[in-house]
């Protein structure tokens, strides 16, 4: 994943504090349109803050509702907001609620006092700086403080803590605090020795570090590594194998392409810009790149837009697999993004056909085989049913040719 300096005003490439580039994904339409930040958890982890804090900050600053789906790791802001706007707001959040007020270092932790004051304690310089108590996010932080590491009661730090942790793991609960006893001041915690493995039975720690260097073991490791490299490099894979939802992963090149198209739409897109981005990501020959483009590039004016991007599509759609991906993107476009386009499916297919992007045999095969590869089965069936007029036209054209 691409990373940037936490302080974007610092140009030093050796600046040690990094975070992922904020990505956005627009979902829904009309009153239900929303902006999802797919990598919010990664950004929050880099800032040492709960992901709910920056998400809530976005909502406050934009006057929008937010939805925190922590179990599914989805952080949503209602409305359509481009990534550039949210990145600027993230800079404000970092300045107000992360950076030390003295040294501007992001190594800070919150200290919430009994009087409901929130301070940033800097681990780097030791300074303490207050956050803006007038900001609504401060109220949210006080009501939803960051998680605190659990401490084991009745035990000191150091060796006693590790002993207690082991005892807690064995007994399934914390050891109660006991009064100190004897000159050494150690706690008189009672531990059932029968549950502790004998020293002779414990695995030797050195075994964890030992590496089998026999020829057989080396060959086995090389084979495993080769398989991993193959899976990571062959992004397209075979149809039906390794063909999951990598295009929906924000960190993948396909996720980056989809996000870039959404962000660049307002500035204006053309074939050269899109192809340059595809080449930059190294996926110009991948059929999944065609899937993303046919799903994300077009709007409700897709019939008029296909001729505009015909040269781009001709350059990228070079095999039957690419054509199937093109049709998969069509299923997502009309079945999920713009359901109102379903009646226009024959016109869209005709536009692809007339631009020599879609072949007759591929279209017929697609039209007669319902699949849940790109959408759910019901949506797939609905789109193919709508394509009936175009498929009938192809059949009639074949009959007239044979006559």
């Amino acid at each position: 994943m691409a990373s940037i300096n936490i302080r974007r005003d610092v140009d030093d490439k050796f600046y040690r504090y990094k975070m992922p580039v904020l990505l956005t994904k627009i979902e829904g339409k009309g009153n239900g349109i929303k902006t999802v930040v797919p990598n919010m958890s990664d950004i929050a982890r880099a800032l040492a803050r709960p992901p709910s804090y920056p998400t809530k900050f976005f909502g406050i600053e934009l006057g929008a509702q937010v939805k925190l789906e922590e179990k599914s790791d989805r952080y949503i802001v209602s409305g359509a907001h481009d990534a550039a706007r949210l990145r600027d707001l993230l800079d404000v959040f970092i300045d107000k609620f992360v950076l030390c007020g003295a040294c501007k270092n992001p190594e800070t932790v919150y200290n919430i006092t009994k009087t409901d004051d929130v301070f940033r304690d800097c681990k780097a310089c030791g300074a303490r700086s207050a956050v803006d108590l007038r900001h609504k996010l401060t109220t949210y932080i006080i009501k939803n403080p960051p998680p605190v590491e659990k401490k084991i009661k009745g035990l000191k730090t150091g060796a006693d803590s590790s002993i207690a942790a082991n005892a807690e793991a064995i007994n399934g609960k914390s050891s109660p605090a006991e009064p100190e006893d004897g000159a050494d001041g150690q706690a008189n915690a009672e531990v059932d020795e029968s549950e502790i493995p004998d020293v002779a039975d414990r695995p030797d720690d050195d075994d964890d570090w030992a590496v089998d260097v026999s020829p057989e073991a080396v060959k086995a490791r090389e084979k495993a590594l080769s398989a991993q490299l193959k899976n990571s490099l062959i992004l397209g894979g075979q149809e039906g194998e390794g063909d999951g939802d990598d295009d929906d992963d924000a960190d993948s090149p396909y996720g980056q392409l989809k996000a870039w198209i959404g962000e660049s739409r307002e500035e204006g897109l053309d074939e050269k810009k899109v192809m340059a981005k595809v080449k930059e990501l190294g996926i110009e020959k991948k059929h999944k790149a065609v899937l993303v483009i046919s799903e994300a590039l077009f709007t409700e004016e897709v019939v008029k837009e296909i001729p505009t991007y015909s040269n781009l599509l001709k350059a990228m759609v070079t095999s039957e697999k690419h054509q199937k991906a093109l049709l998969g993107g069509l299923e997502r476009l009309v079945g999920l993004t713009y359901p109102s386009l379903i009646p226009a499916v024959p016109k869209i297919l005709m536009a692809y056909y007339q631009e020599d992007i879609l072949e007759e045999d591929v279209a017929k095969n697609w039209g007669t085989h319902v699949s849940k590869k790109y959408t759910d089965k019901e949506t797939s069936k609905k789109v193919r049913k709508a394509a009936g007029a175009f498929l009938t036209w192809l059949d009639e054209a074949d009959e007239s040719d044979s006559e």
Side-chain angles (χ1 to χ4, degrees):
M1 181 192 296
S3 60
I4 57 173
N5 292 341
I6 286 178
R7 286 182 56 190
R8 289 203 293 166
D9 59 320
V10 175
D11 295 329
D12 184 4
K13 63 180 180 180
F14 297 108
Y15 184 69
R16 61 180 290 195
Y17 303 107
K18 304 284 186 181
M19 68 177 181
V21 177
L22 184 144
L23 302 174
T24 58
K25 183 179 180 182
I26 308 297
E27 295 182 357
K29 65 175 186 175
N31 293 333
I33 196 166
K34 57 191 176 184
T35 304
V36 181
V37 183
N39 61 339
M40 179 59 84
S41 292
D42 295 327
I43 293 170
R45 193 177 300 113
L47 300 176
R49 297 291 185 270
S52 59
Y53 289 6
T55 309
K56 200 73 178 176
F57 183 83
F58 291 161
I60 293 169
E61 293 294 316
L62 295 169
Q65 296 290 327
V66 299
K67 193 172 183 181
L68 311 173
E69 299 179 356
E70 296 180 353
K71 289 184 179 180
S72 56
D73 198 26
R74 279 168 58 86
Y75 297 90
I76 303 165
V77 183
S78 64
H81 309 286
D82 58 55
R85 172 64 173 146
L86 293 186
R87 287 168 190 162
D88 291 340
L89 287 177
L90 183 61
D91 289 341
V92 178
F93 169 79
I94 291 170
D95 183 59
K96 287 179 174 288
F97 292 94
V98 178
L99 299 181
C100 170
C103 67
K104 295 299 179 182
N105 190 303
E107 283 192 65
T108 62
V109 293
Y110 286 147
N111 186 342
I112 303 175
T113 66
K114 293 180 180 179
T115 57
D116 286 344
D117 291 321
V118 182
F119 293 95
R120 289 164 288 173
D121 288 350
C122 183
K123 294 181 180 179
C125 71
R128 170 174 286 190
S129 49
V131 302
D132 186 358
L133 294 175
R134 295 169 298 177
H135 201 284
K136 290 182 180 179
L137 182 64
T138 305
T139 305
Y140 178 81
I141 293 172
I142 294 170
K143 292 181 179 178
N144 303 272
V148 180
E149 293 182 3
K150 294 182 179 179
K151 297 181 180 179
I152 300 174
K153 297 179 181 179
L155 289 161
K156 296 181 179 181
T157 56
D160 289 346
S161 297
S162 61
I163 294 171
N166 290 334
E168 183 181 13
I170 292 168
N171 296 324
K173 58 184 179 180
S174 299
S175 302
E178 295 289 346
E180 293 185 352
D181 186 29
D184 56 359
Q186 293 182 344
N188 292 327
E190 294 183 5
V191 180
D192 185 356
E193 296 181 0
S194 64
E195 297 183 30
I196 302 178
D198 193 81
V199 173
D201 297 330
R202 295 177 187 172
D204 188 351
D205 290 341
D206 290 340
D207 291 343
D208 295 335
W209 297 94
V211 177
D212 188 351
V213 293
S214 64
E216 294 80 7
V218 171
K219 285 183 180 179
R221 285 196 294 273
E222 287 178 350
K223 187 176 180 180
L225 181 60
S226 176
Q228 291 176 2
L229 288 172
K230 185 177 180 181
N231 288 336
S232 62
L233 292 174
I234 305 178
L235 297 174
Q238 297 297 323
E239 187 173 355
E241 297 179 6
D243 234 355
D245 292 329
D246 292 346
D247 51 301
D248 290 331
D249 181 359
D251 297 339
S252 72
Y254 309 107
Q256 294 179 44
L257 175 61
K258 187 183 291 186
W260 177 83
I261 289 173
E263 295 167 11
S264 306
R265 193 180 300 282
E266 292 182 4
E267 301 172 5
L269 288 170
D270 57 37
E271 292 180 320
K272 291 182 179 179
K273 286 183 181 179
V274 179
M275 180 55 82
K277 185 62 179 180
V278 169
K279 288 183 176 180
E280 177 189 327
L281 294 169
I283 54 175
E284 65 271 20
K285 295 182 180 180
K286 305 298 182 182
H287 68 278
K288 281 191 177 179
V290 177
L291 171 67
V292 172
I293 284 176
S294 59
E295 175 193 3
L297 183 61
F298 297 113
T299 68
E300 292 176 295
E301 300 296 323
V302 56
V303 177
K304 296 178 181 178
E305 292 166 345
I306 288 173
T308 304
Y309 295 103
S310 61
N311 292 328
L312 168 70
L313 293 170
K314 286 176 184 177
M316 295 186 65
V317 180
T318 56
S319 70
E320 181 178 332
K321 187 183 294 184
H322 288 85
Q323 293 180 58
K324 289 180 178 179
L326 179 80
L327 294 170
L330 169 63
E331 288 181 49
R332 291 185 178 182
L333 178 71
V334 304
L336 303 177
T337 309
Y338 299 110
S340 59
L341 282 176
I342 285 185
V345 169
K347 293 182 179 180
I348 298 171
L349 292 171
M350 181 64 79
Y352 281 139
Y353 182 74
Q354 290 179 335
E355 293 291 339
D356 291 328
I357 299 166
L358 179 64
E359 295 176 359
E360 179 179 340
D361 292 341
V362 177
K364 286 183 176 180
N365 185 57
W366 169 82
T368 54
H369 293 79
V370 175
S371 169
K372 54 183 180 181
K373 182 180 178 70
Y374 300 109
T375 63
D376 61 272
K377 201 167 184 178
E378 287 303 314
T379 302
S380 175
K381 189 183 297 183
K382 189 185 299 183
V383 175
R384 283 164 173 75
K385 186 177 180 181
F390 174 74
L391 298 174
T392 302
W393 177 83
L394 286 178
D395 291 334
E396 291 174 352
D398 284 344
E399 290 176 5
S400 61
D401 288 343
S402 61
E403 290 175 359

